[in-house]
Amino acid sequence: GAGSGSGTAVITRSKSQTQRPSMYRVLLLNDDYTPMEFVVGVLCTFFHKTLEDAERIMWQVHTNGVGECGVYTYEVADTKVTQVMDHARKHQHPLQCVMEKK
Ligand code: TYC
């Protein structure tokens, strides 16, 4: 702080005030059965992708086995994983959605 007689004011800020939250990647995994259009729909509906981006990500997952839907704080990432898994189960598709710490 401002020490007696130092003539210097020191601004102190606690670490927690400036610490950014950990970020989490939400990933889609490929499988042999989920229709491509269903995956594109998931990316548009739950991750707010344009049709063009959704199609690019879907093909990336189809080709590489895995692809990134977005990067979010823990609570948002966890909610999206749950929403996608519930949606896939409801339509009886084996689509898998997971999150990983960046
Ligand atoms: N491989 C699937 C098919 O050929 C399409 C697919 C893409 C499935 C992405 C899942 O996360 C996925 N119908």
Side-chain angles (χ1 to χ4, degrees), residues 11 14 20 23 25 28 31 45 47 56 87 92 94 99:
I11 296 166
S14 71
R20 289 164 308 195
M23 300 303 282
R25 263 183 218 105
L28 279 178
D31 66 71
T45 301
F47 299 95
R56 180 180 51 74
H87 183 65
Q92 299 185 297
M99 60 193 275

Side-chain angles (χ1 to χ4, degrees), residues 28-36 39 58 61-62 95-96:
L28 279 178
L29 308 184
N30 189 37
D31 66 71
D32 292 339
Y33 305 103
T34 304
M36 291 181 174
V39 177
M58 185 282 296
V61 178
H62 179 75
L95 181 64
Q96 295 292 305

Side-chain angles (χ1 to χ4, degrees), residues 27-90:
L27 306 172
L28 279 178
L29 308 184
N30 189 37
D31 66 71
D32 292 339
Y33 305 103
T34 304
M36 291 181 174
E37 320 83 75
F38 186 84
V39 177
V40 171
V42 162
L43 287 159
C44 290
T45 301
F46 297 104
F47 299 95
H48 309 293
K49 302 298 184 185
T50 63
L51 183 56
E52 182 181 319
D53 278 357
E55 288 175 336
R56 180 180 51 74
I57 295 165
M58 185 282 296
W59 278 111
Q60 207 219 306
V61 178
H62 179 75
T63 304
N64 296 350
V66 63
E68 185 180 292
C69 308
V71 179
Y72 308 96
T73 55
Y74 184 91
E75 189 160 297
V76 174
D78 188 54
T79 298
K80 292 198 185 286
V81 168
T82 298
Q83 287 174 334
V84 172
M85 293 300 286
D86 286 353
H87 183 65
R89 190 180 302 111
K90 185 171 95 177

